[in-house]
Amino acid sequence: MSPSERADLARRLARLLPAPAADARARRRFVVVVATASLLMIPWVAALAWTLPPRYLAGHWRATWVGFDLVLGAALALTAWAAVRRRQVVVLTALISATLLACDAWFDIMTAAGPDRWVSLATSVLVELPLAAWLFHVSHTLIRHSMRRMLALSGETVTDLPLRRMPLFGVPPRRH
């Protein structure tokens, strides 16, 4: 089969598969919960800024950092495994790893004191944040590539949209 014949066959097969159910109530519930949570963060952050002491002696310090770094290491290992196996889950594991790296950099810098602060700053700027940025970029690229391919296979004519403008696959567009 020629490439155009394969693409035509893929489009026809994709039309035979039922689209995932797009439950309007579930989407509305999701939006309400996430929007409410984001709004509730405003007074919470204000309360923390007003009431937290500038210094605090933390309990379980070693367990906190060792545990966090174990989770980060597991996320990175799972990302590598998914990439080697060429699994779609690599998008999710790369996003999780990038987020954990960014959090690690933030808390390393903010909790370090004295000469440790310079080490934390250096490892954050030279290792953690560049790796996090690269993993975010890889995730974005993979999602965009997958969506462009799916849109093309489903017969869409416009497939080169920025990710923020691409429709959510399997969910009908909102009617205005």
Side-chain angles (χ1 to χ4, degrees), residues 129-147:
L129 293 176
L131 182 55
W134 181 66
L135 287 169
F136 281 128
H137 171 74
V138 166
S139 296
H140 179 269
T141 301
L142 289 172
I143 292 170
R144 194 151 184 261
H145 176 72
S146 296
M147 282 303 300

Side-chain angles (χ1 to χ4, degrees), residues 108-109 111-123:
D108 280 348
I109 292 170
T111 60
D116 290 341
R117 168 125 342 140
W118 292 108
V119 173
S120 294
L121 190 58
T123 57

Side-chain angles (χ1 to χ4, degrees), residues 27-37:
R27 278 195 317 278
R28 250 191 321 275
R29 191 175 326 122
F30 176 81
V31 170
V32 167
V33 168
V34 174
T36 302

Side-chain angles (χ1 to χ4, degrees), residues 64-129:
T64 299
W65 282 109
V66 170
F68 184 88
D69 285 344
L70 281 172
V71 170
L72 174 56
L76 289 168
L78 192 54
T79 301
W81 174 87
V84 166
R85 297 287 188 176
R86 298 178 182 200
R87 300 289 194 256
Q88 190 68 29
V89 74
V90 73
V91 173
L92 183 59
T93 60
L95 280 170
I96 291 168
S97 296
T99 302
L100 290 172
L101 282 163
C103 291
D104 194 27
W106 171 261
F107 286 107
D108 280 348
I109 292 170
M110 297 308 293
T111 60
D116 290 341
R117 168 125 342 140
W118 292 108
V119 173
S120 294
L121 190 58
T123 57
S124 293
V125 170
L126 298 174
V127 178
E128 293 165 332
L129 293 176

